[in-house]
């Protein structure tokens, strides 16, 4: 685990604005101490300041799911989350799912089922699917469709996405 | 989004004090609605008081033999809680009918009560809106009002309350526990949200600085005969055009007690005890259900694009009552 202390403010905070807040986040296994402006979303922190651009900004209003990441194992919309509020939490983004060259079963399934076209929604779809599997409530194909409805695919790759999640579910929860 | 300062409260009293002292401060918990509104410049707090670390995270029994939901329990944890599924399946079902899995993981039970309307004009700061800017006018009354209210409207506002969860809480006669600068009090669910009248800027009866600490569910959960019928433009992840929560207590084919609450049609979850009383001691038949629908929708008024909701709601009420009745036969 590496630790990174940012000594420079990472937001452009002008004189007279409210103070920066110090937070400690574990991001993809690495602990980071950061100073953030209170209004920095978790999504902007990841993309703009930590160069973790795998997580995508789509609508920025919690409607499309492209920004989905896992916080303490649960999927959330990082665009509707203030970074400062997640002090002490573990964040997993799409960059943190593989173990070295070994892709996560969900990632493998997405490739096998060609579960994308343009790929912009894919990191959010994959993180959402990992969250869905962690939750353990999806038993049927219809459950998968319902529980993945927070992730919109503009290209309409839904049949491949559903097939990929179905396969990953079997790999990750062989008893289901 | 405007700039704001941030504090994290460790105790309920501290949180109450901070928001009481600073009129432009707001609580933040799940954040799914307030941050969205801040990005649109509809909400512009100068300070956010983070209440997510307060000890309001428990689901426990209450003295009335029911269940007490801590204000900070997530919507997802509530919907999948074994006791909620067993005793209050109507509540579980309504929660799962709303939002997306991601949002339900973030949103809290207390926060759900404070969701603001999704009226397009409320969100659009370029248009007049009495709820956003009192006295500026209502753009919806003569505008696009397909998603708007048909009951309890005023000349000032025809917005609807967007929550699914609250429709079940209304049907179940939940009680909201709040704590404020003047101490603790309980608010009956029917009194929690309000109609727009001449002050549509107020969605509810909670006073400045008051914080919801928990929601009490009474012992009766209508777990045998219930349904939540939600009609919307997509099969998932869309707000209700019309929704109906039903809880029935049946003795054979005779109704001992009926609860019917509507979503998507008013500024608050819509209930009418007189309409429900029409079923008391009566047979659970379509003919009787139609009388309930007539009574519930008495005085309903459309504004053009949303006039279809009156007939839609009528049919949905009858169908939901049939669905709830049929459950016991399976």
């Amino acid at each position: 685990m590496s630790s990174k202390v940012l000594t420079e403010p990472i937001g452009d905070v002008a004189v007279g604005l409210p103070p920066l807040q110090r937070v400690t986040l574990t991001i993809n296994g690495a602990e980071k101490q950061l100073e953030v402006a209170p209004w920095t979303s978790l999504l902007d922190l990841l993309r703009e300041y930590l160069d973790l651009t795998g997580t995508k900004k789509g609508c920025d209003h919690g409607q499309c799911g492209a920004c989905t990441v896992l916080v303490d194992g649960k999927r959330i919309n990082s665009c509707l989350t203030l970074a400062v509020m997640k002090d002490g939490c573990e964040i997993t983004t799409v960059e943190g799912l593989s173990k070295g060259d070994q892709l996560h079963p969900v990632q493998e399934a997405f490739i096998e089922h060609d579960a994308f076209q343009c790929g912009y929604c894919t990191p959010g779809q994959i993180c959402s699917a990992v969250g869905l599997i962690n939750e353990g409530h999806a038993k049927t194909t219809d459950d998968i469709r319902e529980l993945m409805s927070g992730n919109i695919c503009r290209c309409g790759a839904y049949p491949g996405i559903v097939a990929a999640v179905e396969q990953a579910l079997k790999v990750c929860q062989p008893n289901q | 989004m405007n700039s704001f300062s941030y504090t994290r409260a460790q105790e309920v009293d501290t949180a109450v004090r901070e928001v009481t002292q600073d009129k432009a401060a707001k609580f933040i918990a799940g954040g799914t609605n307030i941050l969205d509104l801040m990005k649109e410049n509809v909400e512009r707090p100068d300070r956010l008081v983070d209440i997510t670390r307060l000890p309001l995270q428990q689901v426990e029994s209450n003295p009335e033999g029911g269940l007490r939901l801590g204000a900070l329990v997530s919507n997802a944890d509530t919907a999948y809680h074994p006791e909620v599924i067993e005793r209050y399946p109507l509540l579980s079902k309504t929660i799962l009918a709303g939002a997306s899995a991601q949002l339900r993981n973030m949103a809290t039970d207390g926060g759900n009560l404070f969701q603001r309307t999704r009226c397009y004009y409320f969100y659009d700061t370029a248009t007049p809106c009495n709820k956003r800017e009192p006295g500026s006018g209502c753009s919806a009354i003569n505008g696009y009002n397909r998603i708007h209210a048909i009951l309890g409207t005023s000349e000032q506002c025809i917005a609807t309350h967007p929550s699914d969860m609250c429709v079940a809480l209304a049907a179940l006669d939940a009680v909201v526990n709040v704590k404020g600068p003047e101490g603790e009090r309980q608010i009956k669910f029917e009194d929690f949200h309000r109609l727009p009248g001449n002050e549509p800027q107020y969605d509810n009866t909670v006073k400045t600085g008051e914080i919801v600490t928990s929601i009490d569910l009474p012992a009766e959960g209508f777990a045998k005969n219930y349904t939540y019928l939600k009609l919307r433009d997509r099969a998932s992840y869309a707000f209700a055009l019309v929704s109906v929560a039903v809880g029935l207590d049946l003795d054979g084919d005779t109704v001992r007690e009926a609860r019917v609450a509507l979503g998507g049609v008013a500024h608050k979850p819509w209930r009418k005890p007189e309409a429900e009383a029409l079923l008391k001691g009566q047979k659970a038949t379509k003919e009787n259900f139609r009388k309930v629908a007539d009574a519930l929708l008495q005085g309903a008024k459309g504004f053009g694009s949303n006039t279809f909701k009156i007939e839609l709601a009528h049919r949905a009420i009858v169908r939901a009552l049939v669905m709830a009745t049929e459950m016991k036969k399976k």
Side-chain angles (χ1 to χ4, degrees):
Chain A
M1 256 192 211
S2 69
S3 175
K4 185 178 172 190
V5 179
L6 294 191
T7 48
E8 295 297 313
I10 57 170
D12 296 327
V13 178
V15 177
L17 284 180
L20 297 174
Q21 300 282 326
R22 178 156 284 232
V23 292
T24 303
L25 299 171
T26 302
I27 299 174
N28 296 330
E31 188 179 295
K32 296 187 188 296
Q33 291 187 329
L34 307 160
E35 288 193 313
V36 297
W39 49 90
T40 310
S41 69
L42 180 58
L43 173 63
D44 285 344
L45 178 81
L46 293 169
R47 288 183 58 84
E48 304 292 330
Y49 304 119
L50 298 174
D51 290 331
L52 290 168
T53 52
T55 307
K56 297 292 186 271
K57 184 181 276 194
C59 67
D60 207 24
H61 287 279
Q63 297 174 3
C64 77
C67 69
T68 304
V69 300
L70 301 158
V71 174
D72 295 337
K74 288 186 176 171
R75 52 180 163 159
I76 60 142
N77 302 102
S78 62
C79 74
L80 288 184
T81 303
L82 295 177
V84 63
M85 290 178 70
K86 294 301 162 192
D87 188 24
C89 292
E90 279 192 32
I91 318 290
T92 305
T93 70
V94 71
E95 290 95 337
L97 292 177
S98 66
K99 287 175 186 154
D101 288 338
Q102 177 68 48
L103 292 178
H104 188 283
V106 174
Q107 292 172 308
E108 281 183 341
F110 267 64
I111 293 169
E112 250 175 73
H113 291 273
D114 199 19
F116 36 74
Q117 186 173 310
C118 83
Y120 197 81
C121 72
T122 310
Q125 298 276 3
I126 287 173
C127 284
S128 190
V130 172
L132 175 147
I133 293 166
N134 289 346
E135 287 156 13
H137 302 302
K139 309 292 179 205
T140 66
T141 311
D142 278 348
D143 290 346
I144 292 172
R145 287 199 187 93
E146 169 59 35
L147 293 171
M148 288 294 290
S149 72
N151 293 82
I152 311 294
C153 172
R154 173 66 176 79
C155 304
Y158 297 111
I161 293 168
V162 172
V165 177
E166 214 164 9
Q167 176 182 311
L169 202 54
K170 282 183 193 141
V171 173
C172 297
Q173 299 181 329
N175 299 327
Q176 295 289 325
Chain B
M1 200 184 312
N2 63 300
S3 59
F4 56 86
S5 62
Y6 168 89
T7 50
R8 187 179 297 142
Q10 305 294 345
E11 288 169 33
V12 173
D13 290 344
T14 327
V16 166
R17 203 176 316 126
E18 291 203 32
V19 169
T20 307
Q21 285 167 356
D22 182 351
K23 296 290 177 220
K26 293 245 177 204
F27 297 121
I28 184 167
T32 57
N33 194 204
I34 192 171
L35 288 174
D36 189 27
L37 290 165
M38 286 167 68
K39 289 181 184 194
E40 299 284 3
N41 273 319
V42 174
E43 296 275 9
R44 298 179 58 84
D46 71 2
R47 180 208 294 241
L48 286 181
V49 179
D50 178 356
I51 58 169
T52 54
R53 314 282 166 123
L54 298 180
L56 306 170
Q57 326 260 3
Q58 305 297 317
V59 175
E60 56 198 1
S61 300
N62 64 22
E64 292 76 41
L67 214 54
R68 176 167 292 171
L69 309 171
L72 291 171
V73 180
S74 75
N75 285 179
D77 285 349
T78 306
Y80 292 118
H81 192 283
E83 229 174 318
V84 174
I85 292 173
E86 195 193 319
R87 297 184 61 192
Y88 306 97
L90 173 62
L91 178 62
S92 178
K93 201 173 175 187
T94 55
I95 293 173
L96 295 177
S100 67
Q102 288 96 316
L103 291 166
R104 293 193 295 266
N105 279 340
M106 305 164 76
T108 63
D109 290 350
N112 194 306
L113 312 187
F114 292 92
Q115 274 196 83
R116 307 215 65 191
T117 185
R118 264 45 175 212
C119 170
Y120 335 112
Y121 302 102
F122 173 70
Y123 260 77
D124 181 356
T125 55
T127 61
C129 168
N130 287 322
K131 185 179 276 299
R132 176 168 33 76
E133 215 173 300
S136 63
C138 174
S139 304
I141 287 179
N142 295 310
Y144 287 101
N145 48 39
R146 186 166 184 276
I147 64 170
H148 289 75
I150 52 171
L151 288 162
T153 55
S154 76
E155 287 177 6
Q156 304 286 318
C157 181
I158 60 169
T160 55
H161 194 262
S163 169
D164 292 295
M165 179 184 179
C166 289
V167 183
L169 292 176
L172 292 169
D173 270 345
V175 174
V176 185
N177 298 302
V178 302
K179 191 168 190 190
E182 285 155 30
E184 296 176 20
R185 66 182 180 117
Q186 294 197 310
I187 307 174
K188 285 189 201 165
F189 208 79
E190 59 184 279
D191 299 326
F192 188 89
H193 296 103
R194 58 185 294 285
L195 292 177
N198 287 323
E199 292 184 314
Q201 67 270 34
Y202 300 116
D203 296 344
N204 54 60
T205 55
V206 173
K207 297 172 193 159
T208 306
E210 279 186 327
I211 192 170
V212 170
T213 53
S214 63
I215 301 163
D216 275 322
L217 304 173
E220 175 61 75
F222 299 94
K224 279 193 193 138
N225 293 90
Y226 68 91
T227 202
Y228 186 60
L229 177 62
K230 181 176 179 180
L231 304 174
R232 46 184 159 172
D233 285 331
R234 289 189 297 247
S236 178
Y237 201 15
F239 290 99
L241 290 166
V242 167
S243 69
V244 188
V246 168
L248 291 176
D249 180 12
L250 296 174
D251 178 8
D253 288 334
T254 306
V255 179
R256 270 194 292 248
E257 193 179 353
R259 301 277 179 84
V260 187
L262 308 180
V265 296
H267 200 255
K268 61 185 283 188
W270 192 260
R271 265 189 74 187
K272 210 170 181 182
E274 311 92 271
E276 293 166 7
L278 293 174
L279 280 177
K280 214 176 172 93
Q282 302 298 311
K283 294 283 179 214
T285 63
K286 264 193 181 180
E287 198 190 343
N288 286 333
F289 295 159
R290 282 192 202 101
K291 290 178 193 162
V292 177
D294 288 342
L296 260 165
L297 294 168
Q298 205 176 25
K301 182 185 167 192
F303 294 86
S305 325
N306 72 344
T307 307
F308 75 98
K309 280 191 179 185
I310 301 172
E311 179 63 20
L312 186 69
H314 197 280
R315 293 182 189 205
I317 293 162
V318 176
R319 188 169 140 207
L321 282 161
V322 169
M323 286 164 71
T325 307
E326 297 287 323
M327 273 185 80
K328 76 174 164 89
K329 293 175 183 165
K330 282 179 189 160

